[in-house]
Structures are given as structure tokens and as C-alpha cells.
């Protein structure tokens, strides 16, 4: 199977991705409404109802099963991009199922019930572990980055930016820096372990958007920064 990204992620016009399937290739597309062009035998596309778990996690009813040989193009809206990830039997990253755009034949899916501590941190009780001999496509906001974890040296990651993390990772809800820094930042995950964590660069920062369009005087801006929770109290 060949996947071609026709435009760079993050462009205002959105991203287009072309899939080229060979004989015996099979791809399950979980957002079939994004397919905008198709070349091949009409019978090589077969839409069906998702199973109950898929309907619940994706809040959608239909998936498209595409079988080669064929070619099709999917379109993604502005600010949304997709990354394809080659899996192995040793893959141990845990994902939120809602980020999954497609998966190929050979992908194994296992449900992981999180510990009560991790449920409190991630606000999610269930994650999906993908492994096997196949490829998955993950939807992100902006570009996706891969950071290496260390067993002892912690990395702090904005909780809004996490896409996937290793099953063995140790998580703590945290902030960092001095007193003023910790007052004004979003909650972070303090992470240690082995493997890599995937983060998205395009999680919206409403504070930055507000600052870019804000004409308030210097006195009000200083009060917002100095007073605890000033951004909430002073409008």
C-alpha cells in the first residue's frame, strides 16, 4: 500500500491524502465521508455498520472497507492532519479511539481499562492498544511530534496535546516552574518510562488567541498576569 500526502499539514486549505492499494490490500476507513475521489472497480468499496464499540467511541455509524487494487483520495479540514504509523507486535502505545482515521488488515486492537489514578489524570477510562503487522492513521490538530521518555528524568507535556503514550509510562498530573509559572499554566502530565510519547502541536491556546486580538491597557494586562487566576477574574 502506498500513501501520498498531497499537501503539508496545517495549511489553510486542509490536507489531502491519496491511498494506492494493491491486490489483497484492505483498508478500513472510519470517516468515509472524507473520501472525495475514487479510481477502481465499484465493488472494491463496501460500507457497513460499525460494531457497537466502534459506534460508541467514534460517535459514527458507518465505516468503509476498501479493497485493492484501487486508488482513493481523502480530504481533511483545515488544522487537522493525519499521520500513518507502521505497527509491530511489540507496539505498546495507548491511543484514544476517536483519533483513529483508518487501519489496515493485520492490525490487532486490545482494550485497556486504566487504573483509577490514570482515569483521574486522563479523564478517560478506556484506551486502545494497537499492534500487529499493519498500519493505522491517526488524526491530529497540527503537526505530530515524537518525544522519547526516560525512566527517571521526567518530561512535562501539556495535557491537551497528548495523542498516545506507552502502556508502561508512569503519569502524574502536575505543573512545573516557580510559583508564578505554575499558577498560569495548563495542567501537564509528568511522564517517565520507556518508549516514546506522541503529541500534537495544534491544540488550541485560547489565551494566545485572545492576546493577539486584545487591545486592553497595560494596567489590566499586568493585573491578569500578577493576580492568581487573574485571567478568569478580570475580563
Amino acid at each position: 500500500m502506498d500513501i501520498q500526502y498531497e499537501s503539508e499539514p496545517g495549511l489553510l486549505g486542509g490536507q489531502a491524502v491519496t491511498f494506492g492499494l494493491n491486490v489483497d490490500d484492505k483498508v478500513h476507513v472510519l470517516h468515509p465521508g472524507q473520501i472525495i475521489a475514487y479510481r477502481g472497480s465499484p465493488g472494491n468499496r463496501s460500507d457497513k455498520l460499525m460494531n457497537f464499540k466502534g459506534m460508541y467511541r467514534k460517535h459514527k455509524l458507518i465505516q468503509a472497507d476498501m479493497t485493492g487494487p484501487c486508488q482513493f483520495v481523502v480530504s481533511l479540514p483545515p488544522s487537522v492532519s493525519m499521520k500513518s504509523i507502521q505497527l509491530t507486535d511489540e507496539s505498546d502505545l495507548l491511543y484514544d479511539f476517536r483519533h483513529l482515521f483508518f487501519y489496515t488488515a493485520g492490525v490487532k486492537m486490545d482494550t485497556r481499562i486504566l487504573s483509577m489514578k490514570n482515569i483521574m489524570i486522563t479523564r478517560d477510562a478506556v484506551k486502545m492498544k494497537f499492534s500487529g503487522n499493519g498500519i493505522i492513521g491517526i488524526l491530529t490538530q497540527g503537526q505530530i511530534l515524537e518525544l522519547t521518555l526516560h525512566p527517571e528524568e521526567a518530561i512535562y507535556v501539556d495535557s491537551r496535546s497528548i495523542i498516545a503514550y506507552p502502556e508502561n509510562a508512569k503519569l502524574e498530573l502536575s505543573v512545573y516552574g516557580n510559583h508564578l509559572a505554575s499558577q498560569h499554566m495548563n495542567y501537564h502530565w509528568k511522564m517517565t518510562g520507556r518508549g516514546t510519547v506522541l503529541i500534537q502541536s495544534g491544540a488550541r491556546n485560547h489565551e494566545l488567541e485572545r492576546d493577539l486580538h486584545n487591545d486592553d491597557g497595560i494596567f489590566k494586562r499586568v493585573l491578569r498576569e500578577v493576580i492568581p487566576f487573574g485571567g478568569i477574574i478580570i475580563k
Side-chain angles (χ1 to χ4, degrees), residues 22 132 137 175 201 222:
N22 301 315
V175 291
S201 65
V222 168

Side-chain angles (χ1 to χ4, degrees), residues 106-210:
V107 171
K108 303 174 186 176
M109 299 187 190
D110 296 305
T111 301
R112 290 291 188 265
I113 307 298
L114 302 185
S115 67
M116 184 57 65
K117 177 183 177 182
N118 283 0
I119 290 175
M120 297 298 293
I121 294 174
T122 64
R123 299 180 184 178
D124 194 359
V126 177
K127 294 289 186 183
M128 295 297 298
K129 178 181 176 181
F130 300 111
S131 60
N133 183 21
I135 302 173
I136 60 174
I138 298 298
L139 295 175
T140 69
Q141 293 179 301
Q143 296 180 351
I144 189 167
L145 305 174
E146 188 173 343
L147 305 178
T148 302
L149 294 179
H150 188 276
E152 298 178 0
E153 183 181 355
I155 183 173
Y156 296 82
V157 182
D158 191 313
S159 60
R160 299 167 297 186
S161 299
I162 295 287
I163 293 294
Y165 59 90
E167 190 172 14
N168 71 77
K170 180 181 178 181
L171 311 179
E172 295 180 34
L173 201 59
S174 179
V175 291
Y176 65 93
N178 65 4
H179 182 66
L180 187 60
S182 62
Q183 277 187 347
H184 291 274
M185 68 171 57
N186 190 52
Y187 279 115
H188 283 58
W189 292 6
K190 180 182 177 182
M191 308 182 70
T192 54
R194 298 187 183 277
T196 59
V197 56
L198 302 182
I199 65 173
Q200 58 184 353
S201 65
R204 293 191 65 183
N205 187 331
H206 295 287
E207 182 180 353
L208 176 60
E209 294 175 358
R210 182 198 66 200

